[in-house]
Amino acid sequence: MLIDGELVGGTSSFPSINPANGEVVGYAPDGTIADAERAIAAARRTFDTTDWATNVELRIRCLEQLHAALVEHSEELRELTIAEVGAARSATEGAHLDAPVAIAGYYAELLKTYPMSEDLDDLEYMGMRNRRWVEKEPAGVVAAIIAYNYPTQLALAKVIPALAAGCTVVLKGAPDTPLITLALGEIIAKYTDIPAGVVNVISSTNPEVGAVLTTSPDIDMVTFTGSTATGRKIMAAASDTIKKVFLELGGKSAMIVLDDADFAMAAMMAAFMITSHAGQGCALTSRMLVPRERHDEIVELVKQNLAMVVCGDPADPATYMGPLISERQRDKVDAMVKRATEAGATLVMGGKAIEGPGYFYEATLLTDVNPDSEIAQEEVFGPVLTVIPYDDEDDAVSIANNSIFGLSGAVLGAHDRAVAVARRVRTGTFSINGGNYSAPDSPFGGYKQSGIGREMGVSGLEEFLERKTFAAVVG
């Protein structure tokens, strides 16, 4: 772990398991409450007593160093990501590694031009002229808690803008994928001038460690990515000290296929989206809404595309879909599929674990799904696609919005019509005819119970800033 500038072990450790074969990748320190308290104290002291919060030039230099170090060590990180996360090799060229590495470079450049103050108009008050302005200051000490599915993306999307803003950070990796997060801490310690205490990285299997991060009065802000259920608990825990909270939570995103869409393209997109990282993505479109009169035709096209998905060893360049993260997650997915069929859904294909080592699950297609049922409402986090028919555009939008979530979505059809439909769906991101919104300059986050706030882009920096308004009598 990285605590107060030192790389330290723990009093005990726990294994990180390769989900493709069940073998141990390595061991992570099992951090204690005392470790978390030391990390918080280091971050607090560094924020309060050093010039990190005000030295923009130092922060720019450190972010540039971090970007260069991440690029230099990308191949080591790639192999670790494949082994620990179960990410397909080709996927590490995108959202699992290469794309998040670019975040550090983006914020280093943004910080060079981003205005940390802005003038307001002078105000005449009681015969005196008041000069007024607003300055932007870092939020303070940040606790960053991440999920297992895209650990590099999630860690860097939190830590980098927090550092750019002038915050100090305690980062806690997910127990299922601790090594990649610890590796980021090692790179920071060895290859950057980021001062001791600015970034602290801990790993732990103890839920109480996370509780310390969300309740400590020395933490000013919590940023969390994970399930909505856990997000609710974090929001409640943080309320006792009125912490600023950023939450990026679950999703149950819908892909709306309009009747003038390219059905072959839609089927391919739906199939390859839901099997990306074995469906372990909060923004993946897991509900496919299709015109009722074209339902059977589109289902057949989706089935054909799902059959072409290569599932297997994520280290093999030919593999597209790797394993689920754990036996526990595979059992959860399988149980949800079984409950769906018991409730009346039709299993078109898939629906069972793949025999052999590792935690693989078949690409699964369900039809005859009630839009109000569990499988259509709850996040599965597995390669399970439901196809739901609609009667007209209003019906499609209604079904898409029939969710506690509002993270992402997609629509295919004639451009102007598709844009009009996209604007009616209440989600934080939206893809139109295959458009890709994911980039370091693009804000990401959700409506409703998919979260609070936005990561990345200028919005991502401003999540970690407070605004202070000044007024001075002049003249």
Side-chain angles (χ1 to χ4, degrees), residues 319-340:
T319 294
Y320 181 79
M321 185 174 82
L324 294 168
I325 192 64
S326 64
E327 184 177 18
R328 178 187 69 254
Q329 180 61 23
R330 186 174 66 179
D331 289 347
K332 176 200 168 188
V333 171
D334 190 52
M336 290 186 74
V337 171
K338 283 182 169 59
R339 288 197 297 271

Side-chain angles (χ1 to χ4, degrees), residues 396-439:
V397 171
S398 177
I399 294 171
N401 284 330
N402 176 29
S403 173
I404 64 169
F405 302 111
L407 187 57
S408 192
V411 62
L412 291 95
H415 177 78
D416 290 347
R417 186 180 172 203
V419 170
V421 168
R423 286 180 172 142
R424 297 175 63 191
V425 179
R426 291 183 52 76
T427 65
T429 54
F430 219 85
S431 170
I432 299 169
N433 289 318
N436 176 32
Y437 51 75
S438 181

Side-chain angles (χ1 to χ4, degrees), residues 137-166:
E137 300 179 348
V141 179
V142 174
I145 304 171
I146 65 171
Y148 68 79
N149 54 335
Y150 289 86
T152 301
Q153 165 69 35
L154 300 179
L156 295 183
K158 296 180 185 303
V159 171
I160 298 298
L163 298 183

Side-chain angles (χ1 to χ4, degrees), residues 144-406:
I145 304 171
I146 65 171
Y148 68 79
N149 54 335
Y150 289 86
T152 301
Q153 165 69 35
L154 300 179
L156 295 183
K158 296 180 185 303
V159 171
I160 298 298
L163 298 183
C167 297
T168 57
V169 182
V170 179
L171 170 66
K172 179 183 177 295
D176 284 315
T177 54
L179 300 182
I180 190 72
T181 309
L182 295 175
L184 297 176
E186 184 176 350
I187 287 172
I188 287 169
K190 290 184 176 180
Y191 302 105
T192 78
D193 294 328
I194 294 175
V198 169
V199 179
N200 303 270
V201 183
I202 60 177
S203 54
S204 180
T205 60
N206 184 355
E208 292 303 312
V209 170
V212 169
L213 295 179
T214 58
T215 59
S216 169
D218 286 327
I219 294 289
D220 300 299
M221 176 178 175
V222 178
T223 172
F224 169 76
T225 295
S227 72
T228 294
T230 303
R232 293 187 192 110
K233 294 177 182 177
I234 286 176
M235 193 172 184
S239 68
D240 283 346
T241 47
I242 317 296
K243 300 185 191 307
K244 191 173 184 179
V245 176
F246 169 88
L247 301 172
E248 197 271 283
L249 306 175
K252 194 66 182 177
S253 303
M255 173 187 289
I256 300 174
V257 182
L258 300 177
D259 56 17
D260 58 2
D262 181 334
F263 295 157
M265 175 64 72
M268 182 183 71
M269 285 180 55
F272 282 86
M273 177 69 78
I274 198 60
T275 53
S276 172
H277 197 29
Q280 298 170 110
C282 50
L284 301 180
T285 46
S286 55
R287 295 181 294 157
M288 187 180 192
L289 313 186
V290 304
R292 189 174 300 278
E293 64 274 11
R294 308 300 294 270
H295 173 272
D296 293 351
E297 172 189 353
I298 295 172
V299 167
E300 181 59 31
L301 290 170
V302 174
K303 180 181 177 182
Q304 292 171 13
N305 278 275
L306 284 174
M308 292 189 292
V309 173
V310 177
C311 177
D313 181 2
D316 185 339
T319 294
Y320 181 79
M321 185 174 82
L324 294 168
I325 192 64
S326 64
E327 184 177 18
R328 178 187 69 254
Q329 180 61 23
R330 186 174 66 179
D331 289 347
K332 176 200 168 188
V333 171
D334 190 52
M336 290 186 74
V337 171
K338 283 182 169 59
R339 288 197 297 271
T341 57
E342 290 167 0
T346 297
L347 181 65
V348 177
M349 65 179 295
K352 62 179 184 293
I354 297 173
E355 293 185 6
Y359 313 121
F360 294 90
Y361 196 80
E362 292 181 340
T364 300
L365 180 61
L366 294 168
T367 60
D368 300 316
V369 170
N370 186 322
D372 295 324
S373 65
E374 178 194 47
I375 200 72
Q377 290 289 322
E378 298 295 327
E379 192 170 41
V380 179
F381 240 52
V384 180
L385 179 68
T386 61
V387 179
I388 301 172
Y390 66 83
D391 296 317
D392 54 30
E393 280 186 20
D394 289 344
D395 190 33
V397 171
S398 177
I399 294 171
N401 284 330
N402 176 29
S403 173
I404 64 169
F405 302 111

